[in-house]
Amino acid sequence: MNTATRENQTLYAAFAGHLNAALDALEAAGTLPGGLKRGAITVEPPRDPSHGDLATNAAMVLAKPAGLKPRDLAEALVAELAKLDEVTSAEIAGPGFINLRLAPATWIAELRAIAELGADYGRSAMGGGSTVNVEYVSANPTGPMHMGHCRGAVVGDALATLLEFAGHKVVREYYVNDAGAQVQVLARSVHIRYREALGEDVGEIPEGLYPGDYLVPVGKVLAEEFGDRYAKAPESEWLTLFREKAVAAMLVMIKDDLALLGIEHEVFSSEAELQASGKPDEAEAWLRSKGLVYDGVLEAPKGKTPEDWEPVELPLFKSTQFGDDQDRPIKKSDGTWTYFGADLAYHYQKAQEADALVDIWGADHAGTVKRIKAAVAAMTGADGEPTPFEIKLVQMVQLLRDGEPVKMSKRAGTFVTLADVVREVGKDVVRFTMLTRKPEAQMDFDFAKVVEASKDNPVFYVQYAHARVHSTLRKAAAEGLAPAGDHLELLGDEELELVKLAAQFPRIVEAAAAAREPHRIAFFLGDLAAAFHGYWNLGNDRVEKRFINLLDVNLTAARLFLAVQIGQLVRNGLALLGVEAVEEM
């Protein structure tokens, strides 16, 4: 099969197609039975590069259901794959894995594909236009964003962008917890600042209220709007009003903070509005109709004696039916909704409007994951199938300055805000750093290290690769040289190793989107930058390996063409992370 038939498919997608065609041929010949499931078949680089360029597990996956020995099936597949013009060798490894080596022209064709597709290289249709609701941040609207919120904000936003690039429609959503006790505390805290703005000496902020100075401007605005109307009024007259005004002010602050990180949500869902609209009652009625909510009495908690425990009949969700360790109440004894009950209704609403749900939560909510996943598993979408739902837990970030923890006091209202950090080190440094580790792993954010010009700083190392490309292009232009694709056959094995790594980007995108793991893009960029710098450094010792060789303008043009495409891929990857590529450092 000629490489010209790829029709703008990227290399791994093309070879997945070649493999399917080979399997179809074996089915037509009667070697394979028809109708075998191929979903678990992979085409990927072999773990050991010395084994070849591509590897597939097709024979291992299909042999048992086909009633064949893996090596026998592998031999039949190898015979088909060896017919491809792109393949220089096809070999069987171990019990039945297949390793392929590809002709240099195949990699050169992929390099041209990167140039042709540009910013769209790596874009996928795997999502099929299905809608994924990604809910992230959802911090209580009681103050400015701090670094505890930052990591989840970046992970959620990068995931949303990645899913769009992979062919999904995405809803970016923020759930506003404006119906709980914490916003009542906010209202009381603002009332003190309101009285202060009117000239009253309020003294020290009482224990249990929010002491931060960020509420002072809110109090001033309320004093200007209402004068002293509510200064001596009973709480019943101003609590709801001040709660609504304070929450609105906090949301403006939160949106401004997130904008500093380049984050904007399309939907802000209010818990208070959700409850007022009767959504929790709808969810309860629906679950009761399915036999998933019943009225019952919980067992006494561990450590409680019968004398200490007053059994009360409550509406309980059958979460044990879905793997939880006990059924969970959706209402309290006073008839108000439990946090779980309100959350259940919220997810019930989201499940009606999306094909899949993803929540980004702080690791401190790990204890509630099982029950809410049980609830969503019970809910069905329009097609009668459970709505796919994943929760990604994000660990806290420890702030360091020169290796020492940054001291903060919740009681005094002193903490490092997200805005403080972004203004000190920049949006791009913050965003990239938040994605340099898996979200479930602990992270240290050292103000000195994240701006360090060192290969040990992944932010710098990746940005420097892009800047280095542009520096090389400027130097070449000064010599009258420019990138060109006319003589790419002059590229040798070491240059083509860069292309082989670059060609993995589309499959990395699809794998990262499927796993809901945007950090995989940051990891790939780190590998690509390391490979690019490694090739660059060859020229320090071997003059003939430098990108600019005045004695061979055709080879120089080909290497510059390669450099341009590596730069393009760095830009593509950084764009998915919400980071701008720099041309100078």
Side-chain angles (χ1 to χ4, degrees), residues 150 153-154 157 257-263 418 422 427 430-431 578:
C150 178
V154 171
D157 199 58
D257 287 349
L258 291 174
L260 292 174
L261 271 180
I263 293 173
L418 183 153
V422 173
K427 167 184 80 75
V430 173
R431 287 191 67 118

Side-chain angles (χ1 to χ4, degrees), residues 7 19 118 376 385:
E7 298 178 352
L19 182 59
V376 174
E385 292 295 320

Side-chain angles (χ1 to χ4, degrees), residues 191-272:
H191 188 261
I192 290 176
R193 296 301 189 180
Y194 158 74
R195 286 161 32 217
E196 183 179 49
L198 292 171
E200 183 180 334
D201 181 5
V202 297
E204 187 176 348
I205 303 300
E207 183 80 33
L209 299 186
Y210 295 110
D213 289 342
Y214 61 87
L215 294 179
V216 171
V218 183
K220 289 180 179 178
V221 169
L222 292 173
E224 290 171 5
E225 184 174 356
F226 299 114
D228 62 359
R229 187 188 313 173
Y230 299 110
K232 304 295 184 183
E235 183 178 281
S236 58
E237 290 186 18
W238 54 258
L239 186 65
T240 299
L241 173 66
F242 275 47
R243 184 195 73 205
E244 292 172 351
K245 294 282 186 180
V247 167
M250 292 303 99
L251 282 177
V252 169
M253 184 185 298
I254 287 168
K255 290 176 183 180
D256 288 346
D257 287 349
L258 291 174
L260 292 174
L261 271 180
I263 293 173
E264 185 176 340
H265 292 80
E266 291 123 356
V267 177
F268 282 80
S269 289
S270 160
E271 182 185 358

